[in-house]
Amino acid sequence: MPLRSILAGIGAYLPERILSNDELAARLDTSDAWIRERTGIRQRHIASPRESCAFMATEAARAALTSAGAVPADVDAILLATATPDQAFPATALRVQAALGVPGGFGFDLSAACAGFVYGLSVADAMIRAGQVRGVLVIGSEVYSRIMDWNDRGSCVLFGDGAGAVFLRAGEGSGSIDRGILSTHLHAQGSLGDILYVDGAVGLRDKPGTLVMNGREVFRHAVVRLSEAVDEALAANGLSRRDVDWLVPHQANLRIIEAMGKRLGLPSERVVVTVDRHANTSAASVPLALAEAVADGRIRGGDLVLMEALGGGLTWGSALVRM
Ligand code: COA
């Protein structure tokens, strides 16, 4: 039987502090009505100084291990997707390794912006199928509040902080109950790097950088690329739209999410939405949404879940998972 990556556990962490649209409107030329209407966002969580990328990732990863009934010694690798690491190095993944007490293995950070979690799932799945590792933590953790231009109403209203994690375990696939990751597809188009980027880096001493975005362009590409990604995932597995139980999309804008749901012909109750409360948490958004729908019992064992995401790069991709 071929090896498969079973999604054995899932966890999430959100900062305590909630920032409402009205609070933003009190200091920016915007309004709760505008933000809700154009994006579906009502609020976002904002990390305190204590809630670093590593701290939130560790909390989410610990919860994922607990829900999998796993212990730190079961972790062979930690893949942490983030655009907002705490340090240039060591990798935030290794801060998590130390904080969890994982005794060995390896880990690294992965930079693919909002598509980072799907990228992480893909890399982890390939390593598991190759027999290189048996237990992998894939984490998305982001503190975009620290790279926001808080005077740019076109971008700062859209993002929030948080972390989500899954624990993948190698398992035997079986013909009838093919649990686990069925497929992943990754894409990138570097020539579109200038429609969504951070205009600095840790390596530039006086310019850590803030996020710059051409929202209209990103929106246009997101709808086209994610539609293609959805079709590609189904075709690669010989499945039809009717086979998908749940869409767990990247949470950037409710209008993009609804367009993807329509593409799949899914009723809105089969599309997991957290953007209203979390805003866009970049690499954390898909695992946060998945964690919520698993925790409240909507997504159950055996369900077919399609995840998709697109982010700065451009990067985009999908993961099709039988829970
Ligand atoms: N409050 C009030 N007005 C705002 C605003 C805000 N927070 N942000 C922008 N505006 C204004 C603009 O300045 C513009 O005014 P103008 O016509 O006088 O120039 C007007 O609203 C319309 O702007 P536009 O950019 O056309 O709005 P939109 O309907 O495209 O919505 C986004 C803007 C950013 C919400 C939308 O483009 C979007 O969600 N894009 C995708 C972003 C995304 O997903 N990024 C992350 C991908 S990982």
Side-chain angles (χ1 to χ4, degrees):
M1 286 292 173
L3 275 178
R4 276 204 191 283
S5 309
I6 310 294
L7 213 152
I10 181 152
Y13 182 86
L14 286 162
E16 281 165 33
R17 163 93 167 99
I18 290 173
L19 180 65
S20 69
N21 290 346
D22 283 332
E23 281 178 86
L24 281 172
R27 55 182 154 90
L28 268 177
D29 182 15
T30 187
S31 66
D32 175 51
W34 192 96
I35 300 170
R36 280 187 198 223
E37 192 181 306
R38 301 294 179 108
T39 71
I41 296 166
R42 288 192 276 123
Q43 60 173 51
R44 70 285 297 139
H45 292 251
I46 300 292
S48 68
R50 183 180 72 96
E51 292 168 316
S52 64
C53 180
F55 176 90
M56 296 195 298
T58 302
E59 293 300 311
R62 189 177 284 124
L65 289 180
T66 301
S67 79
V71 295
D74 296 329
V75 178
D76 298 322
I78 302 175
L79 274 56
L80 195 154
T82 187
T84 49
D86 295 330
Q87 297 165 290
F89 71 86
T92 306
L94 303 187
R95 297 295 190 194
V96 175
Q97 184 199 41
L100 289 174
V102 174
F106 62 93
F108 54 90
D109 291 353
L110 190 158
S111 170
C114 299
F117 180 75
V118 170
Y119 268 57
L121 281 184
S122 185
V123 174
D125 181 44
M127 290 195 302
I128 286 175
R129 284 177 194 255
Q132 195 179 353
V133 288
R134 293 196 63 81
V136 185
L137 276 168
V138 181
I139 310 169
S141 183
E142 301 279 19
V143 274
Y144 268 48
S145 60
R146 294 182 192 155
I147 55 164
M148 277 302 127
D149 174 351
W150 287 103
N151 294 314
D152 176 14
R153 66 177 184 171
S155 62
C156 77
V157 303
L158 302 176
F159 293 89
D161 301 334
V166 296
F167 182 62
L168 299 178
R169 200 183 258 140
E172 305 277 300
S174 99
S176 54
I177 319 166
D178 51 348
R179 278 186 75 203
I181 297 179
L182 305 187
S183 70
T184 59
H185 290 89
L186 304 184
H187 297 280
Q189 190 172 344
S191 59
L192 291 173
D194 288 338
I195 65 171
L196 176 55
Y197 63 99
V198 175
D199 64 352
V202 184
L204 302 174
R205 185 168 290 276
D206 297 320
K207 199 167 169 54
T210 51
L211 184 142
V212 182
M213 181 177 72
N214 180 335
R216 216 174 284 184
E217 276 297 287
V218 174
F219 192 102
R220 195 168 66 79
H221 285 288
V223 172
V224 174
R225 296 307 181 197
L226 291 174
S227 296
E228 290 169 358
V230 162
D231 294 346
E232 176 184 44
L234 294 179
N237 290 280
L239 295 169
S240 80
R241 303 186 309 176
R242 282 188 303 279
D243 296 313
V244 176
D245 295 306
W246 295 97
L247 176 65
V248 180
H250 175 46
Q251 307 285 320
N253 184 313
L254 189 58
R255 289 186 289 154
I256 301 175
I257 293 171
E258 286 173 347
M260 290 311 112
K262 219 178 235 174
R263 179 100 189 168
L264 281 165
L266 278 175
S268 58
E269 60 271 18
R270 290 271 158 183
V271 179
V272 179
V273 174
T274 54
V275 71
D276 53 332
R277 287 153 294 127
H278 301 174
N280 182 348
T281 56
S282 192
S285 97
V286 169
L288 274 170
L290 184 68
E292 180 174 286
V294 168
D296 66 21
R298 272 178 290 167
I299 296 182
R300 295 155 190 247
D303 283 353
L304 189 64
V305 175
L306 180 57
M307 307 176 209
E308 40 84 342
L310 173 136
L314 288 185
T315 54
W316 69 97
S318 71
L320 193 65
V321 180
R322 176 82 62 191
M323 301 294 289

